Amino acid sequence: MKLRVLMIEDDPKAAEMVLMLLRRGGFEPDLERVETAAALEAALGAARWDVAISDYHLPAFSGPEALAILVRKAPDLPCIIISGTVGEETAVELLKMGAADFVAKDKPARLVPAIVRELREAGARRQRREVETALRESEARFRTLFESSRDAIMTLAPPTWKFASANRATVRLFGAESETHFTSLGPWEVSPEKQPDGTPSSIQAPQMIERAMKEGSCFFEWTHQRLSGEVFPATVLLTRMELNGQPLLQATVRDITEQKRAADELSKLSRAVEQSPASVVITDPEGNIQYVNPKFVAVTGYTREEARGKNPRILKSGELPVAV
């Protein structure tokens, strides 16, 4: 196994001893020896190392000084201190400063097992850090989307199922003072006492929550109520999710007041056309009939099916159906 070793040592013979121990331990070491703080910093900037090994006593600077540079410049690089004169209390202090291990010069056999252990633990730390970084980045992206959405988005957390978070659109939609103000509420507290079907909101809301947790998602219409008391219709999408291993529900709420109003206007217009005493014909851009009202059917004798797709010129063709 190849191993890049940065050794802080003034004695070439000590470095040769370390090389011999590493080779006996099954490593193929590539070792660079430095003796000064400047050389140490230059080596750290020039290459990536697997392990650092430092003597405690150095003519130019000390092991603790070398350790301080390593912690500052390469915090993930495991450093093993070697010395023949350091006592137990000093060794403990070195470990507190960030040393990975301490090996006494009269027990050199401990060096290879210490390196093997530190390489394994460094890999685990690196993997954990990568996971944590990915999680932070994912949370940051989610938060950006969460805050920039035009729809009101909020999360609900068990066991009380009160709101745990809310974006700016939610705060505006319900007229809350802030996210903190809104998250002090439960879903039944931003709803009228009863839904249009007469079911109390405090009973129906937990039912929708239970359904979403069981099925993974749940989409429905719901009557909400702003904190001012104004009632409005909305669509709600509840989606089950996990955050840091904890179950949550994300609720996406869209005010459909305008859609409802437009649908009502269209319904009124449709009824007016259907009941009009005049014949009404609607064509597509090519002039083909798409709709006729009952008065047209009564006057012309054409059924809606017969008229659909025809050109209004049929009314002047002399080919009117035989009256029943």
Side-chain angles (χ1 to χ4, degrees):
M1 177 181 176
K2 294 187 180 298
L3 185 71
R4 289 187 56 79
V5 182
L6 180 58
M7 189 164 187
I8 303 102
E9 174 63 70
D10 64 307
D11 185 357
K13 291 183 179 180
E16 287 297 324
M17 176 64 70
V18 168
L19 280 172
M20 182 187 70
L21 289 170
L22 292 174
R23 290 182 181 123
R24 285 180 180 176
F27 290 105
E28 298 177 26
D30 178 6
L31 184 146
E32 181 175 334
R33 184 173 62 86
V34 297
E35 299 183 26
T36 65
L40 173 59
E41 295 205 19
L44 289 172
R48 181 181 178 278
W49 306 95
D50 297 313
V51 65
I53 300 173
S54 178
D55 193 1
Y56 185 78
H57 294 289
L58 296 162
F61 72 137
S62 67
E65 290 174 317
L67 182 58
I69 293 172
L70 289 166
V71 169
R72 186 179 75 253
K73 302 278 288 187
D76 293 328
L77 180 63
C79 177
I80 297 174
I81 304 293
I82 298 179
S83 178
T85 59
V86 171
E88 184 176 331
E89 289 185 5
T90 302
V92 170
E93 286 302 315
L94 289 169
L95 294 174
K96 289 181 179 179
M97 288 176 60
D101 206 342
F102 173 82
V103 175
K105 285 189 174 180
D106 60 352
K107 296 180 180 179
R110 285 197 63 247
L111 179 61
V112 170
I115 289 175
V116 171
R117 185 189 65 248
E118 287 308 315
L119 290 176
R120 183 173 59 248
E121 292 186 1
R125 287 195 298 271
R126 185 165 53 252
Q127 185 177 30
R128 184 167 57 250
R129 185 177 62 256
E130 289 171 355
V131 170
E132 290 171 351
T133 299
L135 180 61
R136 284 195 299 271
E137 291 175 351
S138 177
E139 289 176 347
R141 286 194 298 270
F142 171 78
R143 192 70 194 183
T144 299
L145 293 171
F146 183 77
E147 287 298 340
S148 61
S149 173
R150 292 183 179 182
D151 289 329
I153 302 176
M154 59 224 76
T155 58
L156 303 91
T160 62
W161 293 113
K162 283 197 169 186
F163 296 112
S165 65
N167 66 353
R168 287 189 288 268
T170 299
V171 174
R172 289 194 301 269
L173 179 64
F174 288 94
E177 296 174 3
S178 63
E179 182 182 6
T180 301
H181 179 204
F182 184 80
T183 54
S184 68
L185 307 170
W188 43 90
E189 295 177 88
V190 288
S191 305
E193 183 179 350
K194 293 184 179 181
Q195 289 299 301
D197 64 0
T199 306
S201 297
S202 59
I203 293 177
Q204 196 165 347
Q207 292 174 349
M208 296 297 101
I209 289 172
E210 182 179 356
R211 179 179 164 191
M213 289 300 293
K214 182 179 179 180
E215 299 179 5
S217 65
C218 181
F219 182 78
F220 53 95
E221 286 194 12
W222 186 262
T223 300
H224 273 296
Q225 182 170 295
R226 306 185 211 280
L227 298 183
S228 64
E230 178 189 357
V231 172
F232 66 95
T235 57
V236 179
L237 174 62
L238 293 179
T239 306
R240 186 182 63 212
M241 59 185 296
E242 281 193 6
L243 183 62
N244 298 327
Q246 298 299 316
L248 285 175
L249 275 179
Q250 177 179 289
T252 303
V253 177
R254 179 173 294 180
D255 185 344
I256 58 171
T257 301
E258 290 305 316
Q259 293 93 312
K260 286 281 190 181
R261 184 177 293 120
D264 288 343
E265 291 297 323
L266 185 59
S267 177
K268 291 176 183 176
L269 177 60
S270 177
R271 288 197 301 272
V273 170
E274 284 286 303
Q275 298 167 10
S276 173
S279 294
V280 177
V281 178
I282 298 175
T283 67
D284 63 16
E286 285 71 42
N288 299 312
I289 296 174
Q290 297 296 303
Y291 167 86
V292 294
N293 71 344
K295 186 64 175 179
F296 174 93
V297 173
V299 169
T300 67
Y302 282 102
T303 66
R304 287 180 170 176
E305 291 71 24
E306 290 170 335
R308 190 174 293 117
K310 301 287 194 307
N311 190 283
R313 287 193 299 270
I314 61 171
L315 300 177
K316 300 180 180 179
S317 66
E319 298 178 0
L320 294 177
V322 178
V324 178

